[in-house]
Amino acid sequence: MPTEQLGMLLAACCLQFSCGPKQEDEDIMQACASCGNNYDKSFTVRMNGAEHTFDSFECAIAKLAPPCQHCKTKIIGHGVTSQGTLFCCAHCARAHGAQADTD
C-alpha cells in the first residue's frame, strides 16, 4: 500500500472536526475544498497536519477517503488490507488475488 494511503487510513481514526458558528473575527467563509461552495455551516477536518474545509460529508469523503484498489469505490469504513493493498471488502481483495481475507 502506498504510504500516502496508509497514512490516510490511519489518520481516519484521529480526524479532528470543528464546526458551528464562526467566531466574530472570522468574517470570511472558506470555500469547500472539494466543490468550492461557500456555506455558513461548513466544517474543517485536520488530517496529517493539513486542514481541509468542507460543506458536506459527501465532499469530505470524495476528497479524503482512499479508493479500493479493485473497484475504486471510496472506503469510508474499516476496509481490508491485504499484502499492503487497501480494499473496501474481502470480496474485492479476493478478486484482486488475495486468498485468505475475510470481512
Side-chain angles (χ1 to χ4, degrees):
M1 170 185 312
T3 303
E4 179 182 328
Q5 286 181 344
L6 181 59
M8 288 175 63
L9 180 63
L10 294 174
C13 299
C14 304
L15 293 178
Q16 297 176 353
F17 293 92
S18 61
C19 59
K22 302 290 183 190
Q23 300 296 325
E24 290 180 21
D25 61 340
E26 295 183 41
D27 297 347
I28 301 170
M29 291 185 290
Q30 291 186 355
C32 175
S34 187
C35 71
N37 185 34
N38 287 317
Y39 184 51
D40 66 340
K41 294 171 186 70
S42 63
F43 58 94
T44 302
V45 176
R46 214 173 292 153
M47 184 172 149
N48 295 333
E51 286 191 3
H52 309 272
T53 299
F54 299 103
D55 67 344
S56 67
F57 284 113
E58 179 182 10
C59 284
I61 290 166
K63 185 82 169 178
L64 300 177
C68 172
Q69 293 303 302
H70 180 71
C71 71
K72 306 304 181 204
T73 192
K74 293 292 189 165
I75 302 169
I76 58 172
H78 295 281
V80 173
T81 302
S82 176
Q83 299 174 340
T85 303
L86 188 59
F87 301 98
C88 65
C89 63
H91 170 80
C92 281
R94 286 190 302 272
H96 205 72
Q99 298 299 319
D101 292 300
T102 59
D103 284 324

mmCIF file of all heavy atoms in Angstrom, residues 13 15 21 61 64 71 75 77 86 97:
data_model
loop_
_atom_site.group_PDB
_atom_site.id
_atom_site.type_symbol
_atom_site.label_atom_id
_atom_site.label_comp_id
_atom_site.label_asym_id
_atom_site.label_seq_id
_atom_site.Cartn_x
_atom_site.Cartn_y
_atom_site.Cartn_z
ATOM 1 N N CYS A 13 -8.739 7.485 12.046
ATOM 2 C CA CYS A 13 -9.064 7.261 13.455
ATOM 3 C C CYS A 13 -8.828 8.508 14.295
ATOM 4 O O CYS A 13 -9.310 8.602 15.411
ATOM 5 C CB CYS A 13 -8.208 6.136 14.018
ATOM 6 S SG CYS A 13 -8.465 4.569 13.196
ATOM 7 N N LEU A 15 -9.127 11.927 13.110
ATOM 8 C CA LEU A 15 -9.577 13.159 12.485
ATOM 9 C C LEU A 15 -10.093 14.122 13.530
ATOM 10 O O LEU A 15 -10.731 13.718 14.490
ATOM 11 C CB LEU A 15 -10.692 12.893 11.469
ATOM 12 C CG LEU A 15 -10.311 12.115 10.231
ATOM 13 C CD1 LEU A 15 -11.549 11.909 9.371
ATOM 14 C CD2 LEU A 15 -9.252 12.836 9.446
ATOM 15 N N PRO A 21 -20.940 27.888 14.412
ATOM 16 C CA PRO A 21 -20.845 29.305 14.057
ATOM 17 C C PRO A 21 -19.404 29.783 14.042
ATOM 18 O O PRO A 21 -18.579 29.366 14.852
ATOM 19 C CB PRO A 21 -21.638 30.005 15.159
ATOM 20 C CG PRO A 21 -22.448 28.941 15.808
ATOM 21 C CD PRO A 21 -21.728 27.653 15.612
ATOM 22 N N ILE A 61 -15.632 12.984 2.005
ATOM 23 C CA ILE A 61 -15.344 11.610 1.572
ATOM 24 C C ILE A 61 -14.720 11.610 0.178
ATOM 25 O O ILE A 61 -13.731 10.924 -0.073
ATOM 26 C CB ILE A 61 -16.622 10.751 1.612
ATOM 27 C CG1 ILE A 61 -17.027 10.503 3.069
ATOM 28 C CG2 ILE A 61 -16.435 9.445 0.858
ATOM 29 C CD1 ILE A 61 -18.435 9.960 3.230
ATOM 30 N N LEU A 64 -11.045 12.942 0.687
ATOM 31 C CA LEU A 64 -10.087 12.360 1.620
ATOM 32 C C LEU A 64 -10.094 10.838 1.735
ATOM 33 O O LEU A 64 -9.092 10.249 2.121
ATOM 34 C CB LEU A 64 -10.312 12.943 3.023
ATOM 35 C CG LEU A 64 -10.153 14.452 3.156
ATOM 36 C CD1 LEU A 64 -10.477 14.876 4.583
ATOM 37 C CD2 LEU A 64 -8.757 14.898 2.768
ATOM 38 N N CYS A 71 -12.240 -2.071 -7.008
ATOM 39 C CA CYS A 71 -13.440 -1.483 -7.624
ATOM 40 C C CYS A 71 -13.420 0.042 -7.640
ATOM 41 O O CYS A 71 -14.293 0.658 -8.245
ATOM 42 C CB CYS A 71 -14.707 -1.981 -6.923
ATOM 43 S SG CYS A 71 -14.924 -1.309 -5.257
ATOM 44 N N ILE A 75 -13.456 4.202 0.327
ATOM 45 C CA ILE A 75 -13.563 3.383 1.536
ATOM 46 C C ILE A 75 -13.852 4.307 2.712
ATOM 47 O O ILE A 75 -13.015 5.111 3.108
ATOM 48 C CB ILE A 75 -12.268 2.585 1.779
ATOM 49 C CG1 ILE A 75 -11.978 1.698 0.570
ATOM 50 C CG2 ILE A 75 -12.361 1.777 3.063
ATOM 51 C CD1 ILE A 75 -10.610 1.063 0.582
ATOM 52 N N GLY A 77 -15.378 2.893 5.576
ATOM 53 C CA GLY A 77 -15.414 2.014 6.742
ATOM 54 C C GLY A 77 -14.025 1.487 7.024
ATOM 55 O O GLY A 77 -13.018 2.115 6.699
ATOM 56 N N LEU A 86 -5.022 -1.768 0.007
ATOM 57 C CA LEU A 86 -6.286 -1.480 0.672
ATOM 58 C C LEU A 86 -7.475 -1.755 -0.248
ATOM 59 O O LEU A 86 -7.486 -1.342 -1.409
ATOM 60 C CB LEU A 86 -6.294 -0.006 1.098
ATOM 61 C CG LEU A 86 -7.432 0.472 1.973
ATOM 62 C CD1 LEU A 86 -7.490 -0.309 3.275
ATOM 63 C CD2 LEU A 86 -7.252 1.953 2.267
ATOM 64 N N GLY A 97 -6.781 -11.169 -6.008
ATOM 65 C CA GLY A 97 -5.772 -12.206 -5.864
ATOM 66 C C GLY A 97 -5.468 -12.659 -4.456
ATOM 67 O O GLY A 97 -4.740 -13.629 -4.260
#
